Amino acid sequence: MPTSTIPIDAILHTLTEAFPDHPMNEVTKNPYEVLIGCIISLRTKDEVTIPACQRLFPIAPTPEAMVTLPLKTIQKLIYPAGFYKTKAETIKNISQTLLDDYNGQVPNTIDELITLKGVGRKTANLVVGLGFGLPAICVDTHVHRICNRLGYIRTKTPEDTEMRLRKKLPAELWSIINWVLVRHGQELCKPIGARCDACPVEQHCRKVDVKARKAPKTAKPLR
DNA sequence: AAAACGGGGGC
DNA sequence: GCCCCAGTTTT
């Protein structure tokens, strides 16, 4: 009984065993801290982001506490995460906006979240999914690539992918792809040189557009 | 759609 | 030094 449908739920279930939780949710599930953690994580690896969060959150777990911290203090706490000056300003600015416009609460809708300066679609979706536990899809290049590589969908841009996933994928599976597919993409299902040998879901994969690593050049022509 | 922006980390 | 990085903002 061959089926033309990719068993996406089985694939996600298998990958969830490999990547049980989003790193940020191992630090906090508090919406405010998730939001601030997302700012710290911009263009920054998890292993640097997490310690920065663990230094900052105990000192300033709320917008009220955060706005009392001098900018320099925030900068120092998050320093190794990079972009520390901009990030500190963004963190303080967001906290003040939450106090001014949202009674100190983090809004739980994409539309409201993206009005905060420094918060875009990706961060907004992570806050909704990780902070509030609501269905949210955060499509990046990894998710986009893997969904197409599996043959689950065929789309040109991450935006298209997000739209298609909203239609095709059951809402209860939305938020888990935020970390499962990203992690999978970072560690195994890479853009070039995918490690299909170690892939736990290779049996389900159609390997659309899988690129091998280019053979190393054997010799440079001398002259 | 593409560039600008920003700074530490890996190599 | 040079390039990368789960992004956001501006042109």
Side-chain angles (χ1 to χ4, degrees):
Chain A
M1 180 215 70
T3 172
S4 61
T5 308
I6 295 287
I8 191 71
D9 47 349
I11 291 172
L12 292 177
H13 181 262
T14 300
L15 291 177
T16 303
E17 289 170 356
F19 312 114
D21 203 357
H22 190 290
M24 187 57 66
N25 257 357
E26 291 175 10
V27 175
T28 179
K29 295 183 188 299
N30 171 289
Y32 175 69
E33 292 180 341
V34 170
L35 172 55
I36 300 306
C38 286
I39 300 302
I40 296 172
S41 78
L42 291 183
R43 311 300 281 169
T44 303
K45 296 267 197 279
D46 292 333
E47 59 262 36
V48 187
T49 301
I50 306 293
C53 291
Q54 290 169 332
R55 286 191 296 273
L56 178 61
F57 292 167
I59 295 171
T62 64
E64 288 86 347
M66 191 70 76
V67 295
T68 68
L69 291 186
L71 226 35
K72 278 274 167 57
T73 303
I74 303 176
Q75 290 178 10
K76 199 170 174 183
L77 289 167
I78 67 174
Y79 176 81
F83 304 97
Y84 57 92
K85 286 178 188 161
T86 359
K87 286 176 180 176
E89 283 177 22
T90 301
I91 288 169
K92 206 162 171 179
N93 176 62
I94 286 175
S95 301
Q96 189 61 57
T97 304
L98 292 178
L99 292 174
D100 292 344
D101 298 348
Y102 293 95
N103 196 29
Q105 301 297 111
V106 177
N108 67 354
T109 67
I110 305 294
D111 287 347
E112 290 172 302
L113 282 163
I114 60 177
T115 67
L116 301 170
K117 181 163 159 278
V119 175
R121 298 177 47 77
K122 304 262 169 58
T123 298
N125 273 286
L126 286 175
V127 171
V128 171
L130 301 176
F132 291 100
L134 299 171
I137 294 184
C138 167
V139 170
D140 68 343
T141 56
H142 293 298
V143 175
H144 175 65
R145 177 180 69 256
I146 293 169
C147 286
N148 279 281
R149 192 170 277 179
L150 287 168
Y152 181 59
I153 53 176
R154 177 173 163 74
T155 48
K156 181 116 173 62
T157 68
E159 289 71 27
D160 295 334
T161 299
E162 187 166 325
M163 199 165 45
R164 296 282 293 127
L165 288 180
R166 284 186 200 288
K167 291 195 168 187
K168 279 194 76 163
L169 195 68
E172 61 268 25
L173 297 179
W174 284 10
S175 34
I176 72 168
I177 75 168
N178 290 350
W179 74 88
V180 161
L181 255 38
V182 173
R183 269 278 183 255
H184 183 50
Q186 289 174 331
E187 300 189 9
L188 296 178
C189 200
K190 301 174 185 181
I192 295 173
R195 298 187 49 205
C196 298
D197 56 316
C199 180
V201 295
E202 185 184 13
Q203 52 175 323
H204 300 302
C205 186
R206 295 182 181 178
K207 304 198 179 184
V208 179
D209 198 32
V210 171
K211 297 182 183 68
R213 189 177 299 281
K214 273 183 185 150
K217 287 182 173 137
T218 50
K220 211 185 282 186
L222 296 174
R223 69 179 58 188

